[in-house]
Amino acid sequence: MTTLTRQDLNFGQVVADILCEFLEVAIHLILYVREVYPSGIFQKRKKYNVPVQMSCHPELNQYIQDTLQCVKPLIEKNEAEKVVVVIMDKEHHPVERFVFEISQPPLLSISSETLLSHVEQLLRAVILKISVCDAVLDNNPPGCTFTVLVYTRESATRNMEKVQVIKDFPWIVADEQEVLMQEPRLIPLKTMTSDIVKMQLYVEERAHKGQQNTA
Amino acid sequence: QKDHSPSPSSDPKVILLPCKSAPSRERVQLWLHAKRQYECLQREMKRIG
């Protein structure tokens, strides 16, 4: 077994590439499953050897890509603690939060050449969980929209600045009160543990989606 | 090896979000409608020859 540090072989970059590709698929699928956009804009594709629904709307696809391109430097440096896909009602109050909790071990134990296929297998299981999550969630009110949040540390925001300027895609610090829900229902979807990354996915769901959150 | 990373107390946690909003459902719905009309027109033109 070979033990590598995060600096070796630029593993941070490899992990960031894998995770951002995964998050892109996951975001498209969440938007489809939770009916944030009309189903007509989604097309069936194969990712991780399973069928998924991906949007073919150019502006939406670009938005998702730009978002993840800004998040990537944080993941690369292991500075993104959580990436959260928030679905909001017409009044911009969160109704659902898909929380991807990410942690990367400082030392990487590479046991075999099958590492990447093992990671792919784990990510496939997460994708499959997302594709059936509507069974355990209440319907969302009409007219929902979404945003992506990143939980990081203040010092890490400097890593994003260059990308923000290049992509003309600025980010701001969110007001915690506006992005959180009071006493949400917690639905664990999947936990994955691999040599290069650990990820926990759960959904926080607002108790009464039809009613406005009084937080 | 000395750790040069700032202490958690001097480096508070922050939540970031993009300034730009994702396209609205209505905007996407309009695009889809236009796309379907275009595809219908294309099929009709092919049929006519």
Side-chain angles (χ1 to χ4, degrees), chain B residues 11-35:
Chain B
D11 189 13
K13 285 187 179 186
V14 287
I15 307 170
L16 302 175
L17 87 160
C19 286
K20 286 184 184 175
S21 299
S24 68
R25 189 185 170 94
E26 291 72 29
R27 192 176 163 86
V28 170
Q29 186 75 63
L30 274 174
W31 175 86
L32 184 62
H33 185 66
K35 182 175 173 274

Side-chain angles (χ1 to χ4, degrees), chain A residues 6 10-17 20 71-80 104:
Chain A
R6 191 149 290 284
N10 206 352
F11 240 88
Q13 208 175 332
V14 175
V15 173
D17 284 344
C20 285
V71 174
K72 198 183 250 186
L74 297 179
I75 296 179
E76 205 174 302
K77 292 195 159 53
N78 200 8
E79 290 170 335
Q104 300 175 44

Side-chain angles (χ1 to χ4, degrees), chain A residues 93-158:
Chain A
H93 294 114
V95 287
E96 279 173 8
R97 290 162 43 96
F98 285 77
V99 184
F100 296 86
E101 252 184 40
I102 303 161
S103 66
Q104 300 175 44
L107 290 174
L108 304 158
S109 303
I110 313 295
S111 52
S112 73
E113 285 175 2
T114 59
L115 171 75
L116 288 181
S117 75
H118 176 60
V119 173
E120 191 180 300
Q121 201 179 321
L122 295 170
L123 294 176
R124 179 189 312 150
V126 183
I127 289 294
L128 286 171
K129 279 284 176 185
I130 295 172
S131 63
V132 294
C133 73
D134 56 328
V136 290
L137 295 170
D138 292 336
N139 288 342
N140 283 330
C144 282
T145 180
F146 85 103
T147 192
V148 175
L149 306 176
V150 188
Y151 286 61
T152 184
R153 293 214 174 257
E154 204 172 72
S155 63
T157 57
R158 284 190 288 273

